[in-house]
């Protein structure tokens, strides 16, 4: 179990030079190898032997770094993926909101694409690798994304309606990403990204209809959108859909 | 009252008449008692003794009906709750769409209110009671809700965009319900319900801007909305928010 001290007399060491890595370097390398495996298979189908083979080290060496075995390694890999994901929404706070959201979503959706099977297994629930700690890591990513979006809206102190709007949209992005994976990554990722931006603009606008803070933020955001940008194109495509509903105005 | 049973010689029987229940009745009673407990506490905090006490029966009797113990009872209670939830969206297919969605959401949100702690524990993930089977039950409810909403839209064969729209909105409803519980059930449930209906109308409308099937459905739905209904009120409240964005048209 805890192979501290006893050096295993392995007959053929996989790579004679592997001891040259420092502790942190080795740890990082093992996590990276694990993440690649966990990205493309459900955690049930990844063994510590797989990780050792992928990193070209022995199984005891993996245990030396992760004495808790697979659960500990899974959690470390998830933590590392979460750190990457949290960077997705860190976009310079300049230019129209739609462009910033699109850039953030491009990074997020590229992550989903690269970690497809692992992303599905983690978020669908019921995975054996799921614990309250992995749940907390996932929630941390959602919270960080919400803070980033609110920063882009220029609202350090959001009221409850705006907060609920942003948090609900973030979950909708996650759900749409899972559906997108289910549907064999259709529609093309740029269409999905545009639709998610449009979803946000629409949700912000209807929330603005009933909340003064959201109304201020929405007016300011719309004022910065160029006519030839995604929101302008959306506005002109929505017009014919609602044209016959003049009786509602 | 047909007291044909032999009275047990237990020192203090919790309820002398409890043997009179038939097998199905008893099973239903145990599930109902379990559901009340699982509704208001995380599954970790509910024991079989609690269920036996709530149903006023002995622990061995609970085991006789649920030899798999707590996991089996939890799954049965969840299955029963899921059956109730699936009925929420079964609304007569008449009248404006917004009214049907509002009626369905009233039932759904009443369920969330009544099962608050259990609903949170189940959907947040990481619960010890979560298995691939409980995950499948929850997914079944989501799928049933999507079928109902598509029925209300009069679309037996939805294309991928409309399907994604409905499924994404259903997850957004679930997420908003969890946030609502987090926020101490604020805003008042009728405001949350109206906002969720508005969310659907907004999402349908922007999807319609890029998808012919969704556009047909949206036009037909808007035509049936009365000017003094929720969608009419929304349209008139959105107008001033977007009034200054005329440059986008």
């Amino acid at each position: 179990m805890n192979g501290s001290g006893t050096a295993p007399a392995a007959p053929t060491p996989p790579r004679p030079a592997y001891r040259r890595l420092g502790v942190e370097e080795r740890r990082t390398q093992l996590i990276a190898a694990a993440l690649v495996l966990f990205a493309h298979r459900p955690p049930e189908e990844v063994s510590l032997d797989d990780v050792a083979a992928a990193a070209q080290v022995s199984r005891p060496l993996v245990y030396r770094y992760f004495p808790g075995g697979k659960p500990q390694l899974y959690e470390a890999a998830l933590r590392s993926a979460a750190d990457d994901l949290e960077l997705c929404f860190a976009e310079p706070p300049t230019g129209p909101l739609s462009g910033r959201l699109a850039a953030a979503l491009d990074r997020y959706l590229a992550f989903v694409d690269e970690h497809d099977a692992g992303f599905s297994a983690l978020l669908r629930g019921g995975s054996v690798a799921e614990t309250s700690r992995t749940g907390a890591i996932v929630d941390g990513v959602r919270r960080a994304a919400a803070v980033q979006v609110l920063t882009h809206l220029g609202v350090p102190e959001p009221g409850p309606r705006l907060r609920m709007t942003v948090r609900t949209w973030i979950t909708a992005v996650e759900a749409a990403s899972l559906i997108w994976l289910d549907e064999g990554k259709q529609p093309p990722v740029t269409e999905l990204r545009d639709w998610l931006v449009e979803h946000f603009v629409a949700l912000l606008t209807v929330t603005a209809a009933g909340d003064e803070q959201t109304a201020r933020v929405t007016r300011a955001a719309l004022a910065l959108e160029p006519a030839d940008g995604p929101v302008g194109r959306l506005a002109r495509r929505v017009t014919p859909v609602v044209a016959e509903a003049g009786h509602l105005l």
Side-chain angles (χ1 to χ4, degrees), chain A:
Chain A
M1 300 275 196
N2 70 358
S4 59
T6 54
T12 46
R15 248 196 181 178
Y18 79 89
R19 283 181 189 282
R20 284 209 301 262
L21 288 187
V23 170
E24 258 320 298
E25 253 179 321
R26 176 64 75 194
R27 202 183 128 80
T28 304
Q29 183 222 8
L30 292 176
I31 290 174
L35 187 53
V36 170
L37 293 169
F38 284 126
H40 296 296
R41 297 185 219 163
E44 295 77 53
E45 294 174 18
V46 176
S47 71
L48 275 198
D49 284 326
D50 295 334
V51 176
Q56 297 187 290
V57 302
S58 67
R59 182 185 163 94
L61 188 134
V62 179
Y63 264 114
R64 207 177 311 151
Y65 279 79
F66 298 93
K70 196 165 91 169
Q72 193 189 0
L73 191 52
Y74 181 76
E75 202 181 309
L78 181 61
R79 181 68 267 163
S80 154
D83 290 343
D84 287 349
L85 257 181
E86 288 185 13
L87 293 177
C88 284
F89 283 84
E91 179 67 19
T94 51
L97 179 67
S98 63
R100 298 189 227 168
L101 287 181
L105 286 168
D106 278 340
R107 283 192 290 270
Y108 178 83
L109 294 170
F111 179 95
V112 172
D113 189 20
E114 279 162 31
H115 301 77
D116 40 22
F119 185 84
S120 280
L122 175 66
L123 291 178
R124 268 184 210 298
S127 159
V128 295
E130 218 178 305
T131 66
S132 57
R133 281 211 301 280
T134 62
I137 292 174
V138 173
D139 268 346
V141 173
R142 290 179 188 132
R143 268 198 305 278
V147 168
Q148 292 285 359
V149 172
L150 287 164
T151 303
H152 287 303
L153 291 172
V155 187
E157 293 191 23
R161 305 304 292 265
L162 191 49
R163 207 163 56 221
M164 185 181 269
T165 299
V166 170
R167 288 178 65 189
T168 300
W169 178 74
I170 282 165
T171 318
V173 168
E174 194 179 297
S177 302
L178 284 170
I179 296 168
W180 180 71
L181 292 176
D182 264 4
E183 303 261 350
K185 305 190 179 176
Q186 285 300 318
V189 71
T190 53
E191 283 183 36
L192 176 63
R193 176 253 281 152
D194 289 345
W195 182 71
L196 291 171
V197 171
E198 291 167 3
H199 184 167
F200 187 74
V201 172
L203 187 55
L204 200 64
T205 305
V206 295
T207 308
D211 181 66
E212 196 38 57
Q213 183 187 44
T214 310
R216 277 198 306 278
V217 163
T218 307
R219 281 200 192 91
L222 291 178
L224 290 176
E225 292 292 332
D228 62 351
V231 180
R233 283 195 293 277
L234 173 66
R236 292 188 297 276
R237 283 185 291 117
V238 160
T239 306
V241 176
V242 298
E244 292 164 30
H247 67 287
L248 295 176
L249 291 173

